[in-house]
Amino acid sequence: MKKLLIGLVVIIAAAFGLFKFMENTEMGGDTYYVQITTDGKQVTLKDDSGQEYLDYEYQLTGYDDTGNSKELTFRANKERPLRKNAYLKVTYNSKKEEVTQWEEVNEKTVPQKALTQLK
């Protein structure tokens, strides 16, 4: 019984480790900060069933916590533009060469060197 329990714990730990590795590989990357300065470009896309939906694409310069810049292109995945002047923390995956995730953040959480470049 003890060996079975130990084996189960090892399998669960290995599965969790594999999940975290895949998450970092597919969704992880370098953090940049951007400020929304435009309404974005409205694009019409189709989902897997062929139904059309609206989205907004942005091309903005992002800055990392040391102030280094990178040109970033990403979609908002919303049917309306993002709020102007909002600050976003975006994750750029260099393996996929794309932004894999973004979230709106408060200006106070943007690193000073990035904030200086954005203003």
Side-chain angles (χ1 to χ4, degrees):
M1 181 70 174
K2 201 175 202 181
K3 289 181 181 180
L4 179 64
L5 185 59
I6 291 171
L8 186 59
V9 169
V10 168
I11 289 171
I12 291 171
F16 181 75
L18 180 62
F19 172 76
K20 282 301 195 183
F21 173 76
M22 292 300 292
E23 181 181 49
N24 283 339
T25 303
E26 295 300 314
M27 298 300 288
D30 299 322
T31 300
Y32 290 90
Y33 296 87
V34 299
Q35 184 176 24
I36 302 301
T37 56
T38 69
D39 285 334
K41 177 184 169 189
Q42 187 178 33
V43 293
T44 303
L45 302 168
K46 290 185 181 182
D47 62 17
D48 292 340
S49 67
Q51 185 173 350
E52 290 186 349
Y53 65 95
L54 291 178
D55 202 350
Y56 288 85
E57 183 174 274
Y58 295 86
Q59 293 181 333
L60 299 167
T61 303
Y63 298 92
D64 65 12
D65 57 354
T66 61
N68 295 320
S69 67
K70 180 149 196 74
E71 294 302 316
L72 302 168
T73 301
F74 64 98
R75 291 202 180 114
N77 298 321
K78 293 185 173 227
E79 291 187 359
R80 60 176 170 73
L82 294 172
R83 186 173 59 84
K84 276 197 177 169
N85 298 316
Y87 291 95
L88 302 182
K89 176 182 174 181
V90 300
T91 302
Y92 178 79
N93 186 306
S94 57
K95 179 181 173 187
K96 291 178 143 185
E97 296 185 348
E98 65 181 24
V99 171
T100 55
Q101 54 189 339
W102 61 267
E103 66 176 311
E104 185 172 346
V105 294
N106 189 301
E107 179 180 355
K108 293 177 183 176
T109 64
V110 178
Q112 188 59 46
K113 289 186 179 180
L115 187 60
T116 301
Q117 296 291 335
L118 290 169
K119 288 193 170 191

